[in-house]
Amino acid sequence: MKRLLRLPDLLRFTLVFLIALVFQNCTEQKIKESTDETLNITDYLRDTPDYSMFLEALEITNYAPFMNTYGTYTLFLPTNDAMKAYLKDVGANSLKEVPLADLQNVVKLHILNQKINTTSFTDGKIATPSLYGQFLVTGATNKNGESSTTVNKTASILKSNVPVGNGVIHVIDKVLRVADKTLAQTIEQDQSLSLFTEALKITGWYDVLNKPIDYTKNDIDSYLTVLAQTNEAFKTAGINNIEELKTKYSHLHEPLNPKDSLNLFVSYRILPKLQYLADLAITPALETKAPLEVISAKLDKDVILLNEEVFNGVLEKGVAITREKSDVTATNGVLHFVGANFAIKKRLPSPVYFDFCDQNEFRQLTSVFRIPGAAPKTSLAKTLFKDVTWDHNDPITYFKDAARGGTVGFGWHGDCLEINRFRDGNCQNITFTTPVIIKGKYKLWISYRGQDTKVGLVKVFVDGVEMSRQINMLENGNKFSSIEARVLESQGYKRHVYPHTTKMNCRLVGTVDIITTGRHKLTLQSQSSFSAQAWFDVAEFRPIDMDQLYPQFDSGGDGFYTPPTP
């Protein structure tokens, strides 16, 4: 220190400055770690007084910290005016007077555990359920010449797609209310359904529709869907009271008897599982609680028609679901309204063409699934599939053929299901859940892409019953290209696509007796050590008295081909 003091003033000043500079560089700097200053949901509400009451609800229910964490959420946010109207409806002066469990349920109903913008809304249910577990339903309405989006038919969206750090907010003008009534109670409280309610009670179905969800089972399977008829629909059919309904339909005069036609009349309007309009619109055959009976459904523009079919060239007009009144959520299911009376139809066996690639999990690949020029193949893990199961953990692959930008060949829809190393020790057994098949006898055809080496034999099972013939995947279409079509059919083969490609082949594996109308299990089992990929196109269930050759499938396309009549 003495030596430092003896130095000249200028030199001493310079040395002190350098020492200070070194200490400054060694001091920990405060680095801005965040690159996004967008507020999360809770902080956004704290920063916006117009939503202070829903913020208070979050704080009372202890959801405020949760909604301020990282994630991807959608919040349907009621305004303060909406919250005040809610308090008036429930007879409370403040949110603290609302029972905590009720307030928690209301809060959870407004939150979805996924970010969903209005561009993903459809005229129907949102695909992701709320945190409460009930689905929300969106739609469009026009008031005073202005269009708006509604939620659960009661609330209008005032401001949409508000970005926040952990999701998106849609501001609504009413508080959404939790469905707290069973299907039976929901139907009974609607005076326009009084005759339908009486029918439910005398057949015993009221008690079934009044049961709460059994959460010890798969809760989705515990739900029910009801297609209810209004008094007006009955009146149009000449039925004005319960006695006239019994006279017309109760042939055993025992409505509680499941075999009585009135009991069947009611059970035909009750569907298993939770099925909103969005689900019905994409389901061509609806299973019902009437044993072995189904309802056909098709979408005509924006109307869902039930049991509209063409038989022997004659159009049988269907019954429309009343869209604006339907999609009513209950605690144990969903209620729809139909516009007219309808009865069970005698169903004859009809063909089912099951494309192996037509799985919801593949369909969700919207940038790939049947898109020309997109990536030729995409593999998905077995844990993702609902209706396909297989042994081992190898994925299965959606593979587009040459018609859709891939390399496989020209199959129907331009795609095939690829199984890699289809052998013992890997995926040796793969089981599919088919679409609904009407009871009856069918010939079962399996189409595939044959190869010259490295593949082998495949057994086919329906509901565990082995078919009489195996598929030899070494046989491709080229082997039979010179044989006349009817001769080839007699040998158990055919050309299933048009124009035909020699890479594709189709094998008759046997005749199957479908005992019950519904979805069934189709299993493919390899019998040898495949060291190359196996490609499967379509499983055809054709009634035994139907032409087994025509219609053919559009090679690389989505339609059918029937040769012109000479």
Side-chain angles (χ1 to χ4, degrees):
M1 180 60 72
K2 291 181 179 180
R3 292 180 180 178
L4 178 61
L5 295 174
R6 293 193 190 105
L7 294 174
D9 290 343
L10 181 59
L11 183 59
R12 190 166 62 245
F13 174 78
T14 303
L15 185 59
V16 171
F17 174 77
L18 290 174
I19 292 171
L21 186 62
V22 169
F23 273 106
Q24 182 180 10
N25 288 337
C26 291
T27 302
E28 182 180 357
Q29 294 183 357
K30 294 183 179 180
I31 301 174
K32 181 181 177 182
E33 297 181 350
S34 174
T35 58
D36 185 0
E37 295 183 350
T38 306
L39 298 176
N40 284 343
I41 288 175
T42 302
D43 283 339
Y44 176 86
L45 299 184
R46 287 173 179 152
D47 202 48
T48 315
D50 289 343
Y51 314 125
S52 60
M53 291 187 70
F54 193 80
L55 172 62
E56 183 184 356
L58 289 178
E59 291 171 338
I60 292 173
T61 57
N62 204 30
Y63 276 93
F66 169 71
M67 295 307 296
N68 220 32
T69 58
Y70 173 79
T72 51
Y73 304 105
T74 298
L75 172 63
F76 288 91
L77 174 60
T79 62
N80 284 350
D81 287 341
M83 294 296 289
K84 291 174 184 176
Y86 164 74
L87 288 178
K88 184 177 180 180
D89 287 345
V90 299
N93 296 314
S94 69
L95 290 170
K96 292 182 179 179
E97 292 183 8
V98 179
L100 181 59
D102 292 348
L103 193 59
Q104 287 174 331
N105 291 340
V106 167
V107 167
K108 288 188 290 185
L109 187 67
H110 288 74
I111 302 169
L112 278 59
N113 195 18
Q114 186 173 334
K115 181 180 177 181
I116 302 176
N117 290 314
T118 53
T119 52
S120 299
F121 289 178
T122 60
D123 191 8
K125 79 169 184 183
I126 297 176
T128 302
S130 66
L131 293 187
Y132 179 72
Q134 290 181 355
F135 288 90
L136 303 183
V137 177
T138 59
T141 187
N142 191 294
K143 295 180 181 179
N144 301 322
E146 294 186 4
S147 297
S148 63
T149 300
T150 60
V151 184
N152 281 10
K153 302 181 184 294
T154 58
S156 295
I157 294 181
L158 303 177
K159 190 176 182 181
S160 61
N161 305 319
V162 179
V164 286
N166 57 348
V168 65
I169 290 175
H170 308 297
V171 180
I172 54 178
D173 65 353
K174 287 186 179 179
V175 173
L176 306 177
R177 304 301 293 272
V178 171
D180 57 359
K181 292 181 175 59
T182 64
L183 280 165
Q185 294 166 342
T186 303
I187 292 169
E188 187 172 24
Q189 75 172 4
D190 190 327
Q191 292 303 308
S192 72
L193 298 176
S194 60
L195 182 50
F196 189 74
T197 302
E198 289 186 79
L200 290 175
K201 289 182 176 179
I202 66 172
T203 56
W205 281 101
Y206 183 94
D207 294 335
V208 175
L209 299 180
N210 205 33
K211 290 181 180 178
I213 292 300
D214 183 359
Y215 288 102
T216 63
K217 301 178 181 178
N218 181 334
D219 52 346
I220 292 297
D221 290 340
S222 300
Y223 287 95
L224 294 172
T225 299
V226 177
L227 305 171
Q229 284 184 207
T230 62
N231 297 341
E232 186 63 30
F234 279 115
K235 185 176 181 180
T236 303
I239 303 170
N240 298 287
N241 54 57
I242 193 65
E243 292 303 322
E244 292 180 359
L245 184 63
K246 289 165 63 176
T247 299
K248 185 175 180 66
Y249 289 110
S250 184
H251 77 296
L252 295 178
H253 308 294
E254 299 177 28
L256 287 172
N257 188 332
K259 295 181 179 180
D260 184 86
S261 53
L262 179 56
N263 196 294
L264 292 169
F265 175 89
V266 173
S267 61
Y268 192 58
R269 286 153 174 74
I270 301 174
L271 316 179
K273 301 185 180 181
L274 187 67
Q275 302 186 70
Y276 285 83
L277 292 181
D279 305 303
L280 301 181
I282 60 172
T283 309
L286 307 171
E287 296 180 66
T288 73
K289 287 296 184 177
L292 310 181
E293 301 294 347
V294 298
I295 298 172
S296 67
K298 71 176 184 180
L299 185 64
D300 183 10
K301 297 180 181 178
D302 60 347
V303 177
I304 297 175
L305 296 173
L306 306 177
N307 283 348
E308 178 156 303
E309 302 286 351
V310 175
F311 284 107
N312 298 322
V314 178
L315 174 65
E316 296 181 358
K317 296 293 290 184
V319 174
I321 293 180
T322 309
R323 193 180 192 95
E324 60 274 10
K325 295 182 65 177
S326 297
D327 273 347
V328 179
T329 299
T331 59
N332 57 348
V334 60
L335 172 66
H336 304 297
F337 291 73
V338 293
N341 186 55
F342 67 102
I344 295 175
K345 283 192 175 183
K346 176 65 178 178
R347 291 295 174 197
L348 300 175
S350 60
V352 172
Y353 306 127
F354 174 41
D355 187 323
F356 287 105
C357 284
D358 195 4
Q359 306 295 334
N360 286 334
E361 294 76 14
F362 286 145
R363 281 186 170 276
Q364 291 174 10
L365 305 172
T366 54
S367 62
V368 174
F369 186 76
R370 295 175 182 168
I371 301 297
K377 59 190 299 183
T378 303
S379 299
L380 295 179
K382 65 185 297 183
T383 54
L384 299 177
F385 287 87
K386 177 184 177 184
D387 292 329
V388 188
T389 59
W390 63 93
D391 40 24
H392 204 260
N393 292 318
D394 283 353
I396 58 175
T397 300
Y398 173 75
F399 202 162
K400 290 201 302 299
D401 65 25
R404 298 287 173 105
T407 58
V408 174
F410 295 90
W412 193 33
H413 295 118
D415 52 25
C416 283
L417 178 78
E418 176 185 295
I419 305 173
N420 190 30
R421 297 182 297 177
F422 190 27
R423 62 174 185 256
D424 185 25
N426 292 85
C427 171
Q428 185 185 17
N429 298 274
I430 183 167
T431 299
F432 305 85
T433 302
T434 70
V436 172
I437 305 174
I438 298 171
K439 62 180 178 179
K441 287 190 176 182
Y442 297 81
K443 289 186 177 181
L444 175 56
W445 300 80
I446 304 291
S447 53
Y448 59 94
R449 179 187 188 268
Q451 300 201 66
D452 296 326
T453 60
K454 301 181 181 179
V455 292
L457 298 175
V458 176
K459 287 184 178 180
V460 181
F461 301 79
V462 176
D463 294 331
V465 177
E466 183 179 346
M467 296 293 97
S468 58
R469 298 173 179 173
Q470 299 183 30
I471 301 169
N472 183 355
M473 299 197 70
L474 289 173
E475 296 177 334
N476 57 41
N478 185 53
K479 180 177 178 180
F480 309 107
S481 59
S482 62
I483 302 176
E484 194 274 329
R486 293 297 177 184
V487 175
L488 188 60
E489 178 193 359
S490 69
Q491 298 174 3
Y493 298 91
K494 68 175 179 175
R495 294 180 274 273
H496 77 295
V497 290
Y498 181 87
H500 184 242
T501 170
T502 56
K503 292 182 178 180
M504 304 302 295
N505 198 14
C506 189
R507 179 65 161 140
L508 174 64
V509 295
T511 300
V512 56
D513 192 0
I514 299 296
I515 304 299
T516 60
T517 296
R519 304 183 73 186
H520 296 267
K521 299 296 184 182
L522 173 64
T523 300
L524 305 177
Q525 181 187 84
S526 66
Q527 300 299 301
S528 50
S529 184
F530 286 49
S531 57
Q533 299 92 337
W535 287 291
F536 295 94
D537 190 15
V538 185
E540 302 176 44
F541 291 83
R542 294 193 181 224
I544 57 174
D545 57 354
M546 176 184 175
D547 190 331
Q548 301 296 310
L549 297 187
Y550 303 107
Q552 293 176 308
F553 304 106
D554 185 6
S555 180
D558 302 327
F560 299 90
Y561 169 77
T562 300
T565 302

